[in-house]
Amino acid sequence: MGRVGSAALSLLALAVVSPWQAVAAAAGNGTAVGGGSPRVPALLVFGDSFVDTGNNNAVLTLARSDFRPYGKDLNGGVPTGRFSNGRIPTDLLASRLGLKDLVPAYLGADLTDDDLLTGVSFASAGTGYDPLTSTLVAVLPMQEELNMFAEYKEKLAGIVGEEAAAGIVSKSLFLVCAGTDDIANNYYLAPVRPLQYDISAYVNFLVQQACDFMKQLYQQGARRIAILGLPPIGCVPSQRTLAGGLARDCDPARNRAARLFNSRLQAAVARLQGELRCQRIGYVDIYDVLRDMIADPCKYGFDVSTRGCCGTGDLEVSLLCNQLTAATCPDDRKYVFWDSFHPTERAYEIIVDYLFPRYVEKLL
């Protein structure tokens, strides 16, 4: 085939792919992790420690994990600020989408243009929908995460131009994961909110804050938003220790609060779909799969689901989970939880594998 024919075919190829795919290919990221094309141009993540890939490393707070033994099974054992022994849902979802194996933190020191093109995490461990939650532990409030996203869009436009940047944003998947700290570390630990709200009223407040957050994302160009519900908070190891009595049973009050939040958020998301005329805003239920893993760990190949792998597993999290005072279990793959609050990489893998076809696929 002559040069003219080759050029014509090249132009035809560019004509049948979307602008973001052409941009990704030019940036050297047009091939998915497992082969083929990425399902979306980027993954953009907001929320708390379950999806924070290291932003709190740059924040003056005690809510951090940039020290051993965190990350012992990732990156050669060098801590990254992820609250687990390895990869977290942010990374695992990006892999499933064909984007990359690790999603960098937006506040990371060595972000590249390609990092920005294919997605970052704006999440801050310890934050919540309630602005008071982030204040209590000196982390980034959700509003600041939105501010960083606005800044991100300016950087993106500087790389590919405003039109292509808007296309990338509109076709990207947005993941929002927050609310657990509002219930566990604010309402049931701090003395302020229980004086102002009963739990039903507080849940209504959180759901309204979550809806406002999604609306602001929509106003900033988001069109595919997956918002996670809450896990069975009362069955998390630290909450068993704090509220489960001598037997460390699951705390029914915290679990009821989580279920109440989930049911009301799901209904609110359905209303929001109609209000914004956007069907690709979806509620993602993580309560049932994690509750089943905790109740029947052997079914999933685990031995321990009531304690974390770090230290005693009863209370160690963040600074209490350190290599000086907290030894780790011999095999973290046998544990549902890494520390007293966050699952292991293996547990996260099972959760993401369960959720992806049931919820995420519908938003793509």
Side-chain angles (χ1 to χ4, degrees):
M1 183 180 293
R3 290 183 179 179
V4 174
S6 297
L9 284 177
S10 297
L11 288 173
L12 178 61
L14 285 174
V16 297
V17 299
S18 64
W20 68 262
Q21 287 175 313
V23 168
N29 200 64
T31 301
V33 174
S37 299
R39 303 290 301 277
V40 292
L43 175 65
L44 300 166
V45 184
F46 303 79
D48 54 26
S49 58
F50 296 106
V51 290
D52 180 2
T53 57
N55 285 305
N56 276 17
N57 298 355
V59 178
L60 190 60
T61 177
L62 297 179
R64 57 197 314 119
S65 60
D66 54 342
F67 45 84
R68 300 175 190 273
Y70 284 101
K72 78 176 188 66
D73 299 318
L74 176 69
N75 196 34
V78 178
T80 61
R82 289 167 171 80
F83 282 78
S84 189
N85 61 298
R87 294 199 293 167
I88 61 174
T90 314
D91 309 306
L92 299 167
L93 181 55
S95 290
R96 289 293 298 261
L97 292 169
L99 289 167
K100 48 193 175 186
D101 287 328
L102 296 175
V103 176
Y106 179 69
L107 296 181
D110 53 355
L111 276 184
T112 66
D113 287 354
D114 189 48
D115 288 331
L116 295 173
L117 284 168
T118 53
V120 294
S121 172
F122 304 95
S124 178
T127 199
Y129 294 117
D130 182 349
L132 177 60
T133 302
S134 58
T135 301
L136 291 171
V137 288
V139 298
L140 303 176
M142 296 289 283
Q143 184 59 51
E144 180 57 26
E145 294 185 22
L146 283 172
N147 295 343
M148 292 193 297
F149 173 57
E151 181 183 76
Y152 160 86
K153 289 198 299 177
E154 293 178 1
K155 293 180 179 179
L156 197 63
I159 299 171
V160 300
E162 290 191 6
E163 183 176 354
I168 289 172
V169 168
S170 67
K171 292 178 174 62
S172 292
L173 178 64
F174 288 70
L175 178 68
V176 183
C177 173
T180 300
D181 290 291
D182 293 315
I183 300 294
N185 299 325
N186 184 345
Y187 192 84
Y188 282 109
L189 281 186
V192 178
R193 291 310 192 207
L195 298 177
Q196 300 170 319
Y197 303 93
D198 61 23
I199 190 59
S200 180
Y202 187 61
V203 163
N204 284 341
F205 168 67
L206 294 180
V207 170
Q208 184 58 55
Q209 293 291 107
C211 287
D212 290 345
F213 188 86
M214 286 186 285
K215 287 179 182 178
Q216 290 185 71
L217 283 179
Y218 185 86
Q219 290 165 2
Q220 291 204 41
R223 292 298 180 270
R224 298 174 178 177
I225 305 172
I227 183 165
L228 273 64
L230 299 185
I233 299 172
C235 295
V236 169
S238 65
Q239 304 306 297
R240 288 174 178 266
T241 303
L242 293 171
L246 293 177
R248 297 183 65 256
D249 294 323
C250 292
D251 176 49
R254 285 163 170 79
N255 280 352
R256 279 196 300 270
R259 291 195 301 270
L260 186 63
F261 175 89
N262 291 346
S263 63
R264 292 180 181 176
L265 178 64
Q266 187 173 14
V269 167
R271 291 192 296 270
L272 205 57
Q273 289 173 343
E275 179 182 337
L276 300 178
R277 296 182 180 179
C278 181
Q279 293 302 309
R280 288 181 172 173
I281 299 176
Y283 166 79
V284 179
D285 184 89
I286 63 172
Y287 188 101
D288 289 341
V289 60
L290 185 53
R291 181 70 182 90
D292 193 50
M293 290 168 64
I294 294 169
D296 190 4
C298 293
K299 174 180 173 182
Y300 299 88
F302 296 109
D303 292 339
V304 183
S305 64
T306 61
R307 301 178 188 274
C309 171
C310 186
T312 65
D314 293 345
L315 275 175
E316 291 86 348
V317 64
S318 192
L319 295 181
L320 294 179
C321 176
N322 65 81
Q323 65 177 355
L324 298 178
T325 65
T328 56
C329 62
D331 185 2
D332 53 55
R333 293 183 61 81
K334 296 297 184 181
Y335 281 68
V336 173
F337 290 93
W338 163 247
D339 59 20
S340 69
F341 205 73
H342 306 94
T344 56
E345 178 181 13
R346 181 166 177 266
Y348 277 141
E349 288 173 345
I350 294 171
I351 292 170
V352 171
D353 285 346
Y354 175 87
L355 298 178
F356 192 88
R358 290 169 175 81
Y359 298 99
V360 180
E361 283 276 8
K362 299 174 183 178
L363 304 177
L364 303 179

